[in-house]
Amino acid sequence: MEQFVMAAVTILIGVFGCICYFFLSNIALDRIYPAFGPNAGANINRASQIRPWLFMFPALALLTVYLVYPVFVSIYLSFMDAEGDKFVGVSNYIWLINDVKFRESMFNNLLWLVFVPAASTFFGLVAAAVTDRIRWGNFAKAMIFMPMAISFVGAAVIWKLVYEYRPDGQEQIGILNAIWTGMGGEAQTWLTSPVVNSFLLMIVLVWIQTGFAMVILSAALRGIPEETIEAAILDGASPLQVFMQIKVPQIWGTILVVWTTITITVLKVFDIVLTMTNGQWGTQVLANLMFDWMFRGNDTGRASTAAIIIMLMVTPIMIWNIRNAAREAR
Amino acid sequence: MADLKLTNIEKAYGEVKVLANINLDIKKGELIVFVGPSGCGKSTLLRMIAGLERITGGELQIDGSVVNDVPPAQRGIAMVFQSYALYPHMTVRQNMEFALKIAKKSKVEIAAAVDKAAQILQLTPYLDRLPKALSGGQRQRVAIGRSIVRDPKVYLFDEPLSNLDAALRVATRIEIAQLKEQMPESTMIYVTHDQVEAMTLATRIVVLAGGGISQVGSPLELYERPQNEFVAQFIGSPAMNLLAGEVVETGAQTVIKLAGGGTARSAVPTVTADLGMKVNIGVRPEDLIATQADPLYTGVVEITEALGEVTLLYFKRQEEAAQVVGKLPGIHAGLRRSVVHLTADPKKVHLFHNGLSLLYR
């Protein structure tokens, strides 16, 4: 109960505080440069130059403190020892390159990178195309989108139950084992069998991200001019040809944006791995490796080095993604 | 290159019938124009012929076979859309060859068809451009080219010029007329709300109103002998003046006493039984001539619009009556606020009773 009250109060203060800030700062600005009197024109110009900065200030300040500053500290720390007080040069990086777990993480991240964005975008595109045509499409869309509202940890717990294994003599409760044994197989400890287990983790993220891809692509599909589709029908194209040759090429830009956005999510994937396997049995990924060294290994040097690697991988995709999105929005 | 036959065609959305009793015979080589006010169903009718809208009643025949349930692509029709509907991700050449590729024609055949169409439409220099790098007029030509390469039985044009600016519209209209000259065998159906396009392009015009056909005929037939008040006012600009009156003399020439006080003579013959009949006389603004004696209409000029070759006179409304407009050759800007007496050649005076022309009784 106490927690609930705390949460409610926090939300109230946060929201109300934001409103107050924008409202009061705006009034203050209008007082300093009133839009009347002898200098009205000059005042309005000056006020409208200041106003954007005034409104962006909270966001800029928070981003500086929690994003820009940590980047530089991370770079600094990656050249320091475990306690962060002795300069060690590039030895953290050399250690990382030779570390077995790091190589495993890189390999797994690449697997995730190939599989998850491709599968999510593909299923999202199919779901978008199919749900636009059927009567209960909106219900189906809501269902497919629902996982987006579940936290990664929550999703991981749900899927952990799906993959659950109980030792011999106990009743199996996992759906996957139920299906497997139903088809005549032996109950498996799915999450401990290498490579297969990585894919089982990826499925969780695909399950979450398909909804995102579907929503964006569905909007893009609806934005296609109806006449081009009718023209293609008159030209004799079959529904599949219309989809592949007329619709998909016209939303190609959006598909790329969706793909890269999911790619960035994938590079940062952490919660699912931590919750389901904690990187054991060959499922380690970079973000979880960083977390391990930070909070279990208590080595800020190595953790920061892993963080920098993740950042280096995300940055180019991010830039490309933003450019693409800007081009789409033109 | 085909005959079309529409028999009792009907379109209903649920309970609401938007089109009914559409009967029309279109002969090979004709250029038929559907005109009508917004919402009269002209585009819907065209889309039904194309197969993009389901026909909810009646029968559509192309070349003698019923095509109600034949998919659009197999009806042998090609359509040019108002918005051009070019595939934005394909070059001009790819746009034009798309249908042929779908039909699995040979490469040689496709290239020949595209090159020929491009030549007719003067698109050869633009074949490798994307639609976005073309002007509006060029885009519309690509859309037409996409139809030509398929060598369809029937060409359908859905307001193809309405997205172009005025000058380009005239130029493209002439291009379409020339195109028709080059392909005298091909049947074309053209939808527009612009009566100038209708008058200049059509072999026959179909005037649609209120969910049905109001009149079918050649442009001059519609202009000279409208069957009803709607067609009379729809064709011609400014619209035909309608004045209420009563038949006072019958015979080869009818005399009408007008509610506004004037007397009109019409060459439309009447019989003795018509004496006292309530009629509307119709006179086109361009048929009104200034007179001194025995005027048909007398009014005060409220506004003049001098267009150079003609001057439009807008007369002050008299009570409930509709506004009368006159069109005099030459420049008469000085007539504003003056009283003008007008009459008309009896041959140019139409008679309508209950909205229908007495000429067609």
Side-chain angles (χ1 to χ4, degrees):
Chain A
M1 189 59 201
E2 197 183 324
Q3 279 174 326
F4 177 76
V5 172
M6 279 295 287
V9 168
T10 311
I11 290 173
L12 267 181
I13 291 174
V15 173
F16 193 69
C18 284
I19 294 172
C20 279
Y21 170 78
F22 288 112
F23 190 69
L24 293 177
S25 66
N26 196 36
I27 286 179
L29 185 66
D30 285 342
R31 283 276 159 81
I32 297 167
Y33 295 111
F36 47 81
N39 296 325
N43 278 350
I44 290 172
N45 280 342
R46 213 168 302 160
S48 55
Q49 267 174 0
I50 297 173
R51 209 182 311 273
W53 293 102
L54 198 62
F55 287 0
M56 282 194 302
F57 170 74
L60 285 179
L62 289 174
L63 284 175
T64 311
V65 175
Y66 293 109
L67 214 70
V68 180
Y69 169 71
V71 167
F72 289 104
V73 175
S74 296
I75 294 172
Y76 167 79
L77 284 175
S78 71
F79 295 106
M80 307 297 278
D81 70 354
E83 278 74 40
D85 41 39
K86 220 179 100 213
F87 181 74
V88 294
V90 293
S91 70
N92 278 329
Y93 289 89
I94 292 169
W95 162 82
L96 198 69
I97 289 165
N98 293 314
D99 184 49
V100 182
K101 266 304 201 187
F102 172 73
R103 290 183 176 181
E104 178 192 313
S105 304
M106 280 301 270
F107 174 74
N108 281 336
N109 264 109
L110 283 178
L111 272 189
W112 281 74
L113 214 54
V114 172
F115 181 73
V116 176
S120 305
T121 311
F122 174 77
F123 288 128
L125 185 59
V126 171
V130 173
T131 52
D132 270 345
R133 291 172 151 235
I134 50 181
R135 200 174 312 169
W136 46 280
N138 280 334
F139 175 75
K141 261 186 198 161
M143 286 293 116
I144 296 170
F145 188 70
M146 204 85 92
M148 278 290 284
I150 300 173
S151 73
F152 281 22
V153 174
V157 170
I158 292 171
W159 282 87
K160 206 165 182 236
L161 289 172
V162 170
Y163 303 146
E164 186 74 6
Y165 171 78
R166 290 288 161 93
D168 281 343
Q170 287 184 37
E171 202 179 341
Q172 296 296 337
I173 63 158
I175 293 173
L176 187 59
N177 268 332
I179 294 169
W180 187 255
T181 51
M183 293 193 315
E186 284 266 307
Q188 300 280 317
T189 53
W190 296 104
L191 289 175
T192 61
S193 12
V195 189
V196 174
N197 54 6
S198 273
F199 280 96
L200 293 178
L201 299 196
M202 291 176 209
I203 286 171
V204 182
L205 192 53
V206 171
W207 181 68
I208 294 172
Q209 294 292 329
T210 296
F212 162 75
M214 176 195 68
V215 168
I216 308 281
L217 294 174
S218 162
L221 281 176
R222 286 183 183 188
I224 296 174
E226 189 65 26
E227 276 97 351
T228 60
I229 294 159
E230 289 180 340
I233 292 170
L234 287 175
D235 274 349
S238 67
L240 186 67
Q241 284 169 322
V242 170
F243 185 71
M244 295 306 294
Q245 297 184 38
I246 304 298
K247 287 186 178 178
V248 169
Q250 288 195 62
I251 60 163
W252 197 240
T254 311
I255 291 178
L256 285 182
V257 169
V258 168
W259 189 295
T260 47
T261 306
I262 296 175
T263 302
I264 292 164
T265 313
V266 165
L267 280 171
K268 298 186 300 182
V269 70
F270 155 70
D271 337 36
I272 294 172
V273 177
L274 177 80
T275 314
M276 294 184 80
T277 63
N278 192 18
Q280 300 171 82
W281 311 296
T283 58
Q284 188 66 301
V285 292
L286 284 173
N288 198 49
L289 183 78
M290 173 189 78
F291 180 85
D292 266 356
W293 279 108
M294 187 69 219
F295 297 106
R296 283 189 243 273
N298 281 323
D299 188 328
T300 52
R302 289 178 176 180
S304 299
T305 311
I308 298 300
I309 298 291
I310 297 173
M311 195 183 76
L312 287 178
M313 287 172 72
V314 172
T315 308
I317 303 172
M318 194 88 102
I319 291 170
W320 192 67
N321 188 28
I322 291 168
R323 279 204 187 148
N324 239 328
R327 198 170 347 129
E328 274 303 289
R330 114 201 89 89
Chain B
M1 279 155 259
D3 296 334
L4 263 83
K5 193 174 167 68
L6 282 67
T7 316
N8 284 322
I9 291 280
E10 181 185 298
K11 178 71 189 177
Y13 293 103
E15 291 290 296
V16 189
K17 271 190 194 173
V18 294
L19 284 170
N21 296 322
I22 305 287
N23 288 294
L24 195 61
D25 271 317
I26 299 172
K27 289 190 185 56
K28 178 171 145 179
E30 272 193 306
L31 198 165
I32 296 288
V33 175
F34 293 168
V35 286
S38 300
C40 70
K42 53 192 190 293
S43 281
T44 307
L45 184 56
L46 191 78
R47 291 166 59 81
M48 280 157 80
I49 295 172
L52 294 171
E53 296 274 355
R54 215 166 57 82
I55 298 170
T56 53
E59 206 177 74
L60 171 67
Q61 289 181 14
I62 297 179
D63 266 350
S65 52
V66 179
V67 296
N68 281 32
D69 298 317
V70 175
Q74 280 143 45
R75 293 187 182 190
I77 44 111
M79 185 155 165
V80 176
F81 292 83
Q82 178 178 354
S83 61
Y84 324 129
L86 301 181
Y87 310 128
H89 56 288
M90 297 185 190
T91 62
V92 170
R93 179 182 287 281
Q94 287 166 335
N95 260 286
M96 300 214 296
E97 65 190 13
F98 183 72
L100 302 180
K101 275 194 169 164
I102 295 284
K104 300 213 162 64
K105 292 266 167 50
S106 77
K107 272 197 177 146
V108 185
E109 211 175 335
I110 293 175
V114 170
D115 288 339
K116 190 177 155 213
Q119 206 170 4
I120 293 174
L121 296 163
Q122 290 143 36
L123 284 170
T124 316
Y126 310 109
L127 278 176
D128 294 318
R129 287 206 198 168
L130 286 175
K132 67 178 174 203
L134 299 177
S135 70
Q138 289 165 340
R139 286 180 204 184
Q140 193 52 280
R141 290 216 296 273
V142 176
I144 294 170
R146 207 165 57 176
S147 303
I148 292 178
V149 293
R150 292 180 49 197
D151 191 22
K153 293 183 195 167
V154 185
Y155 288 86
L156 306 178
F157 293 89
D158 189 5
E159 308 206 18
L161 306 185
S162 48
N163 278 7
L164 302 177
D165 63 48
L168 209 50
R169 198 176 302 170
V170 174
T172 313
R173 192 177 77 208
I174 292 166
E175 277 171 19
I176 290 178
Q178 286 166 342
L179 189 71
K180 182 72 188 71
E181 284 291 301
Q182 290 177 39
M183 302 188 292
E185 295 281 276
S186 51
T187 311
M188 295 186 181
I189 303 177
Y190 189 106
V191 164
T192 180
H193 59 258
D194 180 328
Q195 51 159 305
V196 179
E197 282 171 34
M199 298 295 280
T200 50
L201 289 173
T203 333
R204 280 193 299 158
I205 295 177
V206 177
V207 182
L208 289 163
I213 292 180
S214 220
Q215 186 172 356
V216 182
S218 72
L220 290 182
E221 226 172 291
L222 296 192
Y223 178 81
E224 289 170 345
R225 293 192 299 281
Q227 274 176 3
N228 49 53
E229 286 179 1
F230 178 80
V231 175
Q233 292 209 295
F234 191 78
I235 303 289
S237 171
M240 183 186 278
N241 298 300
L242 291 177
L243 298 165
E246 195 181 306
V247 176
V248 291
E249 257 182 67
T250 57
Q253 196 172 63
T254 310
V255 180
I256 304 100
K257 181 96 182 116
L258 294 174
T263 308
R265 288 165 209 287
S266 169
V268 178
T270 41
V271 293
T272 327
D274 295 336
L275 261 179
M277 183 194 253
K278 298 268 180 227
V279 293
N280 278 340
I281 68 155
V283 191
R284 295 197 181 276
E286 53 270 39
D287 295 334
L288 285 170
I289 39 182
T291 180
Q292 295 304 322
D294 196 14
L296 177 156
Y297 179 80
T298 303
V300 181
V301 179
E302 198 173 34
I303 292 168
T304 57
E305 286 181 346
L307 301 178
E309 85 272 28
V310 292
T311 302
L312 297 181
L313 308 177
Y314 292 85
F315 290 91
K316 209 172 198 139
R317 280 164 186 271
Q318 292 170 333
E319 289 135 37
E320 308 279 287
Q323 182 160 48
V324 172
V325 184
K327 193 193 242 180
L328 299 182
I331 298 167
H332 305 278
L335 283 176
R336 192 161 170 227
R337 293 206 193 86
S338 58
V339 177
V340 175
H341 306 282
L342 295 168
T343 187
D345 181 347
K347 281 185 217 139
K348 302 285 173 78
V349 176
H350 307 258
L351 287 186
F352 300 98
H353 176 62
N354 287 338
L356 298 176
S357 172
L358 292 182
L359 202 61
Y360 287 88
R361 288 195 284 189

